[in-house]
Amino acid sequence: MEDLYIDENKDLNLDKNKNEFLDTTMGKIIDNTLNITIKALVPDIIDDQVINIKDAIIEGGFEEGLEELKRSGANFKESIKGIITGEFKTVEQMKIAIKDGGILDFVSVCVDKGLKCLSEKTGIDNKVINLVSSGKDLLVNQISSNIEDKFTEQ
């Protein structure tokens, strides 16, 4: 049985070739195609985080990708906490909460779909559904406005 031999020069050469390829037109096209595909397939609420994880894996390997996954997950969790408590640790967490397709938009869409389903299944008067939906919109707009005010303060 042959002993395993790791040639560090070969690994360095592979990294150099990878980086050179990513700087070519073809490498940039492939990277942009992956980003567009991720944005098309992944919900808006997490698409930027998934792209950052992909970039970390490409640039730094699987370990760096896992570290980025941990960072993104922690930021996402803190964004949800911030919406509830009004306290955010970073500006990035605020952006995750209020961006188009962010946490607030996701919750709003879920409530709207739930109300539509409730209306269809139970026959609840549309006036009641519209009232609840309007209240939800006011609440989401107020929370978003409060976060934006904190954002401009910082």
Side-chain angles (χ1 to χ4, degrees):
M1 184 173 219
E2 284 185 40
D3 289 338
L4 291 176
Y5 175 72
I6 298 174
D7 184 357
E8 290 182 21
N9 291 330
K10 196 175 196 181
D11 289 342
L12 292 174
N13 195 28
L14 183 61
D15 282 343
K16 181 182 172 205
N17 289 340
K18 175 191 71 169
N19 291 335
E20 286 175 0
F21 174 74
L22 292 174
D23 288 337
T24 66
T25 302
M26 182 59 78
K28 290 176 184 176
I29 290 171
I30 290 171
D31 188 52
N32 284 330
T33 302
L34 284 172
N35 290 348
I36 291 168
T37 303
I38 289 169
K39 287 197 173 278
L41 297 177
V42 175
D44 290 346
I45 194 169
I46 59 168
D47 61 354
D48 290 334
Q49 289 86 352
V50 173
I51 289 171
N52 290 341
I53 293 165
K54 179 228 13 136
D55 290 343
I57 291 170
I58 289 172
E59 292 170 16
F62 191 67
E63 277 187 46
E64 184 60 35
L66 285 176
E67 289 301 315
E68 181 61 31
L69 175 62
K70 289 178 194 175
R71 281 191 294 273
S72 293
N75 259 345
F76 192 81
K77 178 184 85 174
E78 292 300 323
S79 293
I80 292 171
K81 277 181 163 177
I83 290 170
I84 295 168
T85 64
E87 300 295 322
F88 293 90
K89 294 180 181 176
T90 66
V91 172
E92 179 65 25
Q93 293 166 3
M94 291 180 187
K95 288 179 183 177
I96 292 169
I98 62 174
K99 73 175 186 170
D100 285 342
I103 295 170
L104 288 176
D105 282 352
F106 180 75
V107 170
S108 180
V109 167
C110 288
V111 169
D112 286 340
K113 287 183 179 183
L115 288 173
K116 181 180 178 192
C117 182
L118 187 64
S119 173
E120 292 170 356
K121 302 270 186 211
T122 64
I124 293 177
D125 189 1
N126 279 338
K127 290 180 184 177
V128 173
I129 298 294
N130 290 338
L131 179 64
V132 172
S133 182
S134 296
K136 180 259 321 168
D137 289 341
L138 286 172
L139 185 61
V140 167
N141 289 339
Q142 185 61 45
I143 291 170
S144 184
S145 178
N146 288 347
I147 293 170
E148 287 172 1
D149 288 346
K150 285 187 180 229
F151 185 71
T152 55
E153 286 175 11
Q154 293 184 356

